Amino acid sequence: ETGVTQSPTHLIKTRGQQVTLRCSSQSGHNTVSWYQQALGQGPQFIFQYYREEENGRGNFPPRFSGLQFPNYSSELNVNALELDDSALYLCASSSGETQYFGPGTRLLVL
Amino acid sequence: AQSVTQLDSHVSVSEGTPVLLRCNYSSSYSPSLFWYVQHPNKGLQLLLKYTSAATLVKGINGFEAEFKKSETSFHLTKPSAHMSDAAEYFCVVNLYNQGGKLIFGQGTELSVKP
């Protein structure tokens, strides 16, 4: 186990709703990255937070937003959910170049 | 632009036979490369990483990979497959110049037959 935890494990929402996913990083790690993995695809980078600041963003619309807290845990918020947002959302923590992944949150949008 | 290409979407082997999962990368400078494994309905587990030290990298569970700059390859191998190796495998490059963003290949599904 990596020590990275995510909650909830599963979530069902309807189109137009908002969702918040949470991630607790591994002890000693100050960087959290979020990825979206659609069914049958590799993970796609959403954004990264380093010491509470956004440190890079992938090709995702502004309705995907995030936060990092002083204890380095993080949230991913998605507004105005669309059917295509259904995916496994993975967070990864790091203190160098190696990222360690949590088990993911599986989001289903109906 | 940096990217990774996994040359096989699906590989099937018999238990006890060698495993070869192929990965090619493109990069304008020496990259850091990783292999991750994902078992069904699970998160990603780091198998091994290359970070410009030894070109032959040993990982967990008997896997290893060789970085070949001349061929821009980073193939994953294992001498003898086990049933528990059945999973999805991702070759990954780290983009230093974009804050350490990871770029994933498309994945290779490994099946192991008894």
Side-chain angles (χ1 to χ4, degrees), chain B residues 67-88:
Chain B
F67 175 75
K68 292 187 177 180
K69 187 174 181 178
S70 60
E71 299 176 11
T72 62
S73 69
F74 189 57
H75 301 336
L76 181 71
T77 59
K78 182 174 180 177
S80 176
H82 190 271
M83 295 297 291
S84 61
D85 294 328
E88 188 87 14

Side-chain angles (χ1 to χ4, degrees), chain A residues 1 8 12 18 23 27-28 38 42 50-51 54 57 65 70 72 76 82-83 91 95-97:
Chain A
E1 299 298 324
I12 301 174
Q18 178 266 342
C23 172
S27 177
Y50 170 69
R51 294 180 181 264
E54 189 176 291
R57 189 177 182 92
S65 63
Y72 302 133
L76 164 65
E82 301 177 359
L83 296 180
C91 87
S95 63
E97 63 190 345

Side-chain angles (χ1 to χ4, degrees), chain B residues 27-59:
Chain B
S27 175
S28 54
Y29 49 86
S30 186
S32 285
L33 293 161
F34 306 81
W35 277 96
Y36 284 85
V37 61
Q38 186 174 36
H39 291 275
N41 299 312
K42 299 288 188 183
L44 292 155
Q45 180 183 19
L46 178 67
L47 274 180
L48 49 80
K49 64 179 181 181
Y50 166 75
T51 56
S52 75
T55 57
L56 182 62
V57 182
K58 293 189 184 298

Side-chain angles (χ1 to χ4, degrees), chain A residues 22-100:
Chain A
R22 295 178 175 83
C23 172
S24 291
S25 58
Q26 188 170 322
S27 177
H29 288 183
N30 54 22
T31 303
V32 171
S33 305
W34 286 92
Y35 295 82
Q36 180 195 66
Q37 186 178 20
L39 200 60
Q41 305 290 321
Q44 299 288 315
F45 176 75
I46 303 174
F47 43 57
Q48 182 183 85
Y49 279 84
Y50 170 69
R51 294 180 181 264
E52 303 180 59
E53 297 287 331
E54 189 176 291
N55 188 43
R57 189 177 182 92
N59 189 27
F60 281 81
R63 60 190 185 84
F64 285 78
S65 63
L67 281 174
Q68 188 179 30
F69 301 99
N71 66 354
Y72 302 133
S73 65
S74 178
E75 286 182 355
L76 164 65
N77 300 289
V78 187
N79 293 321
L81 284 166
E82 301 177 359
L83 296 180
D84 285 349
D85 296 333
S86 295
L88 180 67
Y89 288 84
L90 296 160
C91 87
S93 79
S94 57
S95 63
E97 63 190 345
T98 303
Q99 297 186 18
Y100 297 91

